[in-house]
């Protein structure tokens, strides 16, 4: 790891939809160059947290400092500048379906830089080689398999040589072999380019392979944060339940369930 | 009593919803105008290539169907008016009736309705699908404004395409009326042409084109707005697409009425 200076600092973050609070006063720090995994079950608020971090959702209160600058208080133009140094790989890859894979990767370069078309071509090829999709430039996203689309999405996220890359459920919906390939790719990106990676997932197998720090969310609150070993030792009941993959305990058994259905005591 | 309260609640809620929708439409309008007018002046560029592609789709590719329908409507107009005019021996005035109603009313209206069905729905479906697939989010995260990238070029294309197609539709409709009058009703060709020229003024063209310009604005804005409104998955896309066409046609009729009344008194 070596470098331990913070790159993202979240202070007292509160976010929600309408009256419903989804993230409840979160505080944490992401160190430069680490793979930071946000782990949690469905409805734990992990996707909302990711959307806040990339600026797709405005928090109700609190600050998100990226490289010491408050992302939430920036003007639109400053946000765009910052976004050029961030990449995001979406759950469903979110490639633009009307243009080819190569054009998808080239899009941020075309819009944000004044590079020559030939340079953009070469850079696109390099990025696609990086995710082992060399030669697929002219394919439409619909002509690729799920795993290939996901890797193409990562190539697009890498197009502008970002400092931080966000992955939303990178291995969701993929078979174990392909998922392991994507995990290895996330590790490779971090090791080769010193990228800070923030990964939202609920797959324990991925966490074991890639996580430097794990932040576990439940009902919008952080229940545990630290390395995986620290989490395993923490003894928090929810963490234990999640790691051991146990279902919620049934409350009251059959008779109370029958009562809840019929309304008769 | 309870019914009254429920009724009041329902009226209040739908008023609030309508106001919120108006607010969102206004924000969309302001942003689109910014990316169409202000941003290019400040050197932030407009995606002209994409606008040209959209123009081909909305304008050029709409021509066959618009031309065909407008020709038929021209024929219908001529035959219907002959039904009444013949009794007065005034068949030569079919020309006047067809020309004026084609330019002022029928050509702009038919063009707008057809382009709504062909392109307004397509705009909604495209934007809604992109939103459902997180493609809109992806654009934002890449620092690309979806209004600049998606909406502004379509809007510009629609603004040019609808009046252009309307002008061609006007000619075809008048030609349809001409052909029907000559072949079916038996009006003399030279008389028909003479009457048409005498009937038409620049004002007819201006009225028709003004309407078509506003129709274009309505089609694009409704299409885009409905697209961004989508919630859920494929079902939401279908719902918004249907509602986009219905809202568009409704708005087109309202705009038509407003301008017709306006020009009636002018």
């Amino acid at each position: 790891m070596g470098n331990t200076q913070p790159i993202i600092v979240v202070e007292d973050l509160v976010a929600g939809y309408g009256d419903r609070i989804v993230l409840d006063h979160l505080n944490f720090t992401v160190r430069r160059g680490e793979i930071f995994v946000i782990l949690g079950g469905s409805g734990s608020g992990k996707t909302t947290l990711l959307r806040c971090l990339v600026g797709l959702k405005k928090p109700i209160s609190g600050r998100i400092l990226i490289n010491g600058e408050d992302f939430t208080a920036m003007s639109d133009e400053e946000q765009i500048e910052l976004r050029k140094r961030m990449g995001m790989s979406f759950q469903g890859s979110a490639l633009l379906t009307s243009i080819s894979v190569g054009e998808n990767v080239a899009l941020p370069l075309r819009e944000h830089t004044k590079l020559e078309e030939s340079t953009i071509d070469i850079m696109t090829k390099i990025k696609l080689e990086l995710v082992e999709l060399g030669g697929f430039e002219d394919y439409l996203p619909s002509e690729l398999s799920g795993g290939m689309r996901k890797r193409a999405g990562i190539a697009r996220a890498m197009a502008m040589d970002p400092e931080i890359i966000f992955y939303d459920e990178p291995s969701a919906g993929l078979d174990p072999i392909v998922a392991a390939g994507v995990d290895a790719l996330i590790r490779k990106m971090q090791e080769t380019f010193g990228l800070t990676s923030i990964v939202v997932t609920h797959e324990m197998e991925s966490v074991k392979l890639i996580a430097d720090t794990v932040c576990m969310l439940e009902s919008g609150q952080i229940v545990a944060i630290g390395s995986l070993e620290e989490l395993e030792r923490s003894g928090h009941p929810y963490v234990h339940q999640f790691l051991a993959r146990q279902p919620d305990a049934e409350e009251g058994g059959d008779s109370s369930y029958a009562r809840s259905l019929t309304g008769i005591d | 009593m309870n019914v009254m309260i429920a009724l009041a609640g329902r009226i209040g809620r739908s008023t609030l919803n309508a106001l919120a929708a108006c607010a969102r439409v206004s924000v969309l309008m302001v942003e689109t105008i910014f990316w169409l007018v202000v941003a290019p002046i400040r050197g932030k560029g407009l995606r002209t290539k994409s606008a040209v592609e959209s123009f081909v789709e909305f304008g050029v590719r709409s021509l066959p169907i618009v031309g065909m329908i407008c020709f038929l409507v021209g024929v219908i107009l001529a035959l219907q008016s002959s039904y009444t005019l013949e009794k007065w021996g005034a068949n030569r005035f079919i020309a006047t009736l067809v020309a004026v109603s084609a330019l002022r009313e029928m050509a702009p209206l038919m063009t707008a309705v057809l382009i709504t069905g062909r392109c307004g729905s397509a705009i909604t479906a495209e934007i809604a699908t992109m939103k459902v697939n997180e493609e809109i989010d992806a654009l934002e995260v890449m620092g690309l404004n979806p209004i600049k990238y998606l909406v502004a070029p379509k809007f510009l294309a629609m603004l040019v395409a609808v009046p252009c197609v309307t002008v061609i539709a006007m000619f075809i409709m008048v030609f349809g009326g001409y052909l029907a009058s000559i072949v079916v009703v038996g009006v003399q060709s030279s008389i028909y042409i003479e009457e048409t020229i005498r009937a038409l003024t620049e004002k007819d063209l201006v009225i028709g084109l003004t309407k078509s310009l506003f129709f274009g604005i309505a089609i694009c804005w409704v299409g885009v707005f409905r697209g961004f409104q989508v919630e859920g998955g494929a079902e939401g896309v279908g719902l918004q697409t249907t509602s986009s066409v219905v809202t568009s046609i409704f708005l087109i009729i309202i705009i038509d009425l407003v301008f017709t009344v306006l020009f009636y008194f002018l």
Side-chain angles (χ1 to χ4, degrees):
Chain A
M1 203 56 34
N3 207 336
T4 53
Q5 71 184 110
I7 187 163
I8 302 176
V9 179
V10 173
E11 292 178 352
D12 216 21
L13 184 73
V14 179
Y17 302 90
D19 295 333
R20 198 162 56 93
I21 299 293
V22 177
L23 300 177
D24 193 4
H25 298 280
L26 300 189
N27 288 287
F28 63 86
T29 301
V30 180
R31 286 167 298 155
R32 188 178 293 276
E34 73 173 338
I35 297 186
F36 186 92
V37 174
I38 300 169
L39 185 65
S42 316
S44 59
K46 56 188 196 302
T47 302
T48 307
L49 175 57
L50 189 72
R51 292 178 70 85
C52 286
L53 290 177
V54 296
L56 283 173
K57 179 159 180 55
K58 275 213 178 309
I60 296 169
S61 66
R63 301 202 300 166
I64 298 166
L65 301 171
I66 295 180
N67 279 327
E69 294 170 88
D70 188 357
F71 192 37
T72 53
M74 281 181 183
S75 70
D76 285 354
E77 285 177 14
E78 288 170 320
Q79 280 204 355
I80 288 175
E81 279 309 307
L82 188 62
R83 278 177 174 157
K84 291 179 192 171
R85 291 185 279 133
M86 302 187 336
M88 175 156 175
S89 144
F90 285 84
Q91 184 170 356
S93 86
L95 296 168
L96 303 187
T97 43
S98 54
I99 55 179
S100 73
V101 172
E103 283 173 65
N104 261 290
V105 178
L107 184 65
L109 296 168
R110 284 223 175 91
E111 297 291 327
H112 290 312
T113 66
K114 293 197 164 62
L115 294 172
E116 299 266 330
E117 202 50 31
S118 53
T119 318
I120 290 181
D121 261 5
I122 294 168
M123 289 184 71
T124 307
K125 285 207 174 79
I126 293 174
K127 301 293 172 190
L128 282 172
E129 289 287 347
L130 207 63
V131 297
E132 287 155 26
L133 280 178
F136 283 94
E137 294 90 294
D138 296 330
Y139 282 63
L140 284 175
S142 56
E143 294 167 326
L144 301 186
S145 71
M148 288 160 101
R149 274 207 290 272
K150 196 141 273 182
R151 280 186 280 146
I154 295 174
R156 184 178 67 181
M158 294 290 298
M160 294 285 289
D161 293 320
E163 285 177 65
I164 312 172
I165 183 162
F166 297 87
Y167 300 90
D168 188 9
E169 301 274 6
S171 43
L174 301 178
D175 70 61
I177 298 169
V178 177
V182 171
D183 288 338
L185 183 63
I186 293 173
R187 198 26 113 187
K188 181 174 125 190
M189 293 296 171
Q190 184 253 353
E191 279 168 1
T192 321
F193 302 101
L195 273 179
T196 309
S197 314
I198 286 126
V199 185
V200 163
T201 187
H202 62 264
E203 311 240 346
M204 279 315 297
E205 294 307 314
S206 301
V207 177
K208 283 176 194 154
L209 279 171
I210 59 175
D212 292 319
T213 305
V214 182
C215 166
M216 186 159 226
L217 283 181
E218 197 225 344
S219 320
Q221 288 179 322
I222 296 176
V223 290
I225 189 164
S227 67
L228 191 58
E229 295 77 46
E230 284 167 347
L231 242 69
E232 279 164 352
R233 284 200 304 269
S234 77
H236 190 286
Y238 182 75
V239 177
H240 177 75
Q241 190 191 347
F242 198 99
L243 297 185
R245 209 167 178 265
Q246 286 170 347
D248 276 331
E250 279 185 51
E251 284 167 20
D254 291 343
S255 57
S256 82
Y257 178 64
R259 272 203 299 278
S260 75
L261 286 182
T262 56
I264 303 165
D265 281 324
Chain B
M1 194 58 204
N2 277 341
V3 178
M4 291 300 285
I5 292 173
L7 186 68
R10 188 167 290 183
I11 293 172
R13 212 168 296 126
S14 36
T15 313
L16 282 180
N17 284 344
L19 285 178
C22 284
R24 283 198 299 271
V25 171
S26 316
V27 170
L28 192 67
M29 281 187 184
V30 171
E31 278 195 49
T32 313
I33 291 168
F34 173 84
W35 285 107
L36 261 184
V37 184
V38 185
I41 294 173
R42 290 198 197 155
K44 285 188 184 171
L46 186 69
R47 294 171 44 83
T48 28
K49 188 173 161 244
S50 172
V52 171
E53 280 168 10
S54 295
F55 174 77
V56 171
E57 180 56 38
F58 301 158
V60 181
R61 299 227 173 96
S62 295
L63 276 179
I65 183 71
V66 172
M68 162 111 156
I69 297 284
C70 283
F71 177 81
L72 296 179
V73 171
V75 171
I76 294 167
L77 276 179
L79 297 184
Q80 286 288 12
S81 43
S82 152
Y83 181 74
T84 311
L85 291 174
E86 205 169 27
K87 293 176 190 160
W88 309 88
N91 264 341
R92 62 185 295 158
F93 291 116
I94 294 174
T96 316
L97 222 152
V98 169
V100 173
S101 42
L103 261 70
R104 285 189 171 221
E105 186 60 53
M106 290 313 279
L109 189 66
M110 292 315 295
T111 308
V113 169
L114 285 167
I115 292 187
T116 301
R118 252 196 105 250
C119 313
S121 57
I123 292 175
T124 307
E126 182 187 342
I127 290 180
T129 312
M130 289 183 76
K131 198 171 170 208
V132 169
N133 289 342
E134 297 183 304
E135 289 174 48
I136 303 275
D137 287 343
L139 284 175
E140 283 201 41
V141 172
M142 284 189 277
L144 304 178
N145 187 303
I147 305 286
K148 178 195 175 190
Y149 186 85
L150 286 173
V151 180
K154 286 192 170 52
F155 189 70
L156 184 65
M158 197 62 100
L159 218 55
V160 183
V162 177
C164 286
V165 177
T166 302
V167 171
I168 297 170
M170 287 170 175
F171 275 105
I172 295 176
M173 200 177 276
V174 170
F175 177 71
Y178 166 81
L179 221 59
S181 308
I182 306 299
V183 178
V184 185
V185 184
V187 181
Q188 244 185 338
S189 167
S190 58
I191 292 178
Y192 194 96
I193 294 170
E194 189 188 314
E195 281 299 328
T196 303
I197 293 168
R198 191 187 310 170
L200 291 179
T201 60
E202 298 96 33
K203 199 181 165 194
D204 300 318
L205 190 69
V206 170
I207 291 173
L209 285 182
T210 314
K211 279 182 181 177
S212 75
L213 194 69
F214 282 87
F215 291 163
I217 294 174
I219 296 168
C220 197
W221 254 323
V222 170
V224 169
F225 178 67
R226 288 291 185 206
F228 277 115
Q229 254 191 335
V230 76
E231 264 163 36
E235 195 194 345
V237 177
L239 270 176
Q240 292 301 336
T241 309
T242 311
S243 125
S244 157
V245 173
V246 175
T247 316
S248 251
I249 293 181
F250 178 75
L251 262 185
I252 285 168
I253 301 288
I254 298 291
I255 292 169
D256 196 0
L257 178 73
V258 168
F259 276 101
T260 308
V261 170
L262 209 65
F263 284 113
Y264 183 80
F265 290 110
L266 277 180

